[in-house]
């Protein structure tokens, strides 16, 4: 029985999966002592050759998650040649999935890590959109990837949230006649700012429905035809001053508008 042994954990990504498998297995043998040597980002045959130097095949075992087939097969061949025990965590699993799905794997390393990073970026973007929604704190303008400006009920908030789920940090700023425009709007690159306009008749209907839902008086300035035209004229004036691209939100679904915003931002950057 081997009393002391070394577990070599290799991966072409960070190696957390292989390490967890190795530890969970090794801990089942209380009569032996072990050491784990972890080697992440093993992406070349030379790195494998360097790891193989000066190790004792008799008290070594390899546990690895390498999705690159050439590198994986190379490591397996060396282990067999040197009579080193090894556990190829990925290959058997990939073979089973390939047979089940009748589809070849991408063999891209670090996919789980990338998915995790993408998830946390999305959560951060959503929290950002909520924090800086509707001009709550204009300081967010300087931190945002995208700044949406427009009059009330021009779909700024739903568009902000949709873009946040695409990992963009979005601030939306209402343009209200008589209210001071945040100075930060003139401090950021105008290529980050998107103006939202909407047909007056559509805006009137949207606002009247909003008033009805809230149970308010339909005669308030919020739904006044004259005031709405003044608001839109004022908003257009600010957008021209900034020099930002403008999207007509009339009859547009949020998804369609979001794609337009992303296209504009990508073209300008």
């Amino acid at each position: 029985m081997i009393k002391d042994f070394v577990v070599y954990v290799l991966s072409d990504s960070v190696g957390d999966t292989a390490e967890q498998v190795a530890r969970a297995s090794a801990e089942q043998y209380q009569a032996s002592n072990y050491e784990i040597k972890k080697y992440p980002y093993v992406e070349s045959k030379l790195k494998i050759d360097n790891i193989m130097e000066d190790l004792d095949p008799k008290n070594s075992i390899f546990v690895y998650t390498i999705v690159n087939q050439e590198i994986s097969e190379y490591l397996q061949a060396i282990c067999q040649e040197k009579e080193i025990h090894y556990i190829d965590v990925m290959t058997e699993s990939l073979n089973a999935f390939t047979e089940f799905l009748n589809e070849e794997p991408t063999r891209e390393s670090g996919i789980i890590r990338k998915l995790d990073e993408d998830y946390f970026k999305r959560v951060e973007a959503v929290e950002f959109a909520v924090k800086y929604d509707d001009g709550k704190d204009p300081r967010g303008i300087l931190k945002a990837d995208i700044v949406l400006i427009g009059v009330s009920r021009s779909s700024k908030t739903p568009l902000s949230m949709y873009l946040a789920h695409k990992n963009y940090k979005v601030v939306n700023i209402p343009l209200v006649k008589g209210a001071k425009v945040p100075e930060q709007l003139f401090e950021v690159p105008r290529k980050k700012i998107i103006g939202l306009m909407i047909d007056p008749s559509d805006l009137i209907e949207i606002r009247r429905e909003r008033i009805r839902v809230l149970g308010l008086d339909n005669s308030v300035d919020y739904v006044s035809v004259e005031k709405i035209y003044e608001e839109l004229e004022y908003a257009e004036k600010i957008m021209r001053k900034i020099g930002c691209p403008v999207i007509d939100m009339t009859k547009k679904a949020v998804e369609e508008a979001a794609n337009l915003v992303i296209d504009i931002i990508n073209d300008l950057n």
Side-chain angles (χ1 to χ4, degrees):
M1 184 176 68
I2 298 175
K3 286 289 186 182
D4 301 289
F5 64 95
V6 180
V7 184
Y8 288 84
V9 172
L10 279 65
S11 176
D12 50 10
S13 184
V14 292
D16 289 346
T17 301
E19 183 178 8
Q20 288 174 7
V21 170
R23 288 191 184 276
S25 300
E27 286 294 330
Q28 297 296 317
Y29 303 93
Q30 299 296 322
S32 299
N33 298 313
Y34 69 93
E35 174 188 2
I36 286 185
K37 293 186 177 181
K38 184 177 176 182
Y39 297 89
Y41 306 111
V42 177
E43 298 172 334
S44 69
K45 296 177 182 179
L46 178 60
K47 192 159 187 178
I48 291 174
D49 291 339
N50 292 337
I51 294 169
M52 288 291 177
E53 291 180 0
D54 302 324
L55 63 76
D56 183 356
K58 293 180 181 179
N59 74 339
S60 300
I61 183 169
F62 276 66
V63 181
Y64 59 93
T65 51
I66 297 179
V67 295
N68 182 291
Q69 191 166 5
E70 182 181 358
I71 302 299
S72 178
E73 289 176 352
Y74 181 75
L75 177 56
Q76 179 181 333
I78 291 183
C79 285
Q80 291 174 347
E81 178 187 342
K82 294 180 176 291
E83 297 184 347
I84 299 173
H85 286 82
Y86 64 89
I87 304 168
D88 181 352
V89 177
M90 291 298 297
T91 296
E92 186 174 348
S93 176
L94 287 176
N95 288 343
F97 272 93
T98 298
E99 183 179 353
F100 170 62
L101 298 172
N102 194 27
E103 179 183 350
E104 291 298 317
T106 62
R107 293 194 176 275
E108 179 183 351
S109 62
I111 286 180
I112 294 296
R113 176 170 49 86
K114 291 176 183 176
L115 288 174
D116 287 344
E117 289 174 356
D118 187 67
Y119 169 77
F120 286 114
K121 280 181 66 177
R122 184 158 56 252
V123 169
E124 184 181 2
V126 170
E127 291 176 345
F128 186 92
V130 172
K131 181 177 180 179
Y132 296 109
D133 180 47
D134 204 31
K136 289 176 183 174
D137 185 349
R139 291 176 299 180
I141 294 171
L142 303 177
K143 305 173 187 177
D145 300 317
I146 300 171
V147 181
L148 303 177
I149 60 175
V151 298
S152 174
R153 313 313 294 176
S154 58
S155 296
K156 298 187 304 301
T157 294
L159 186 52
S160 295
M161 296 306 299
Y162 189 92
L163 288 166
H165 281 87
K166 297 288 185 180
N167 294 353
Y168 291 96
K169 292 182 178 178
V170 186
V171 167
N172 72 79
I173 303 295
L175 298 179
V176 181
K177 188 175 182 180
K180 184 179 178 182
V181 177
E183 59 186 25
Q184 290 88 346
L185 279 178
F186 302 99
E187 296 175 5
V188 296
R190 60 185 178 184
K191 63 185 179 180
K192 284 187 175 185
I193 304 173
I194 304 289
L196 305 181
M197 290 296 287
I198 186 170
D199 182 82
S201 58
D202 276 49
L203 183 57
I204 290 168
E205 290 303 315
I206 291 170
R207 289 191 177 181
R208 281 177 177 169
E209 177 61 20
R210 178 64 173 169
I211 288 294
R212 187 191 67 79
V213 170
L214 295 175
L216 300 177
D217 185 355
N218 203 33
S219 64
V220 296
D221 282 349
Y222 188 66
V223 291
S224 162
V225 175
E226 182 182 351
K227 293 294 184 182
I228 284 176
Y229 273 93
E230 288 179 0
E231 282 186 50
L232 289 171
E233 186 179 334
Y234 171 74
E236 189 176 10
K237 178 181 177 182
I238 297 298
M239 292 172 194
R240 283 200 306 268
K241 183 177 180 180
I242 293 171
C244 63
V246 177
I247 293 176
D248 183 0
M249 295 297 294
T250 308
K251 307 296 185 186
K252 274 193 177 61
V254 171
E255 297 84 352
E256 181 185 0
N259 288 333
L260 285 173
V261 170
I262 292 169
D263 288 343
I264 291 171
I265 293 296
N266 289 340
D267 286 345
L268 292 177
N269 288 325

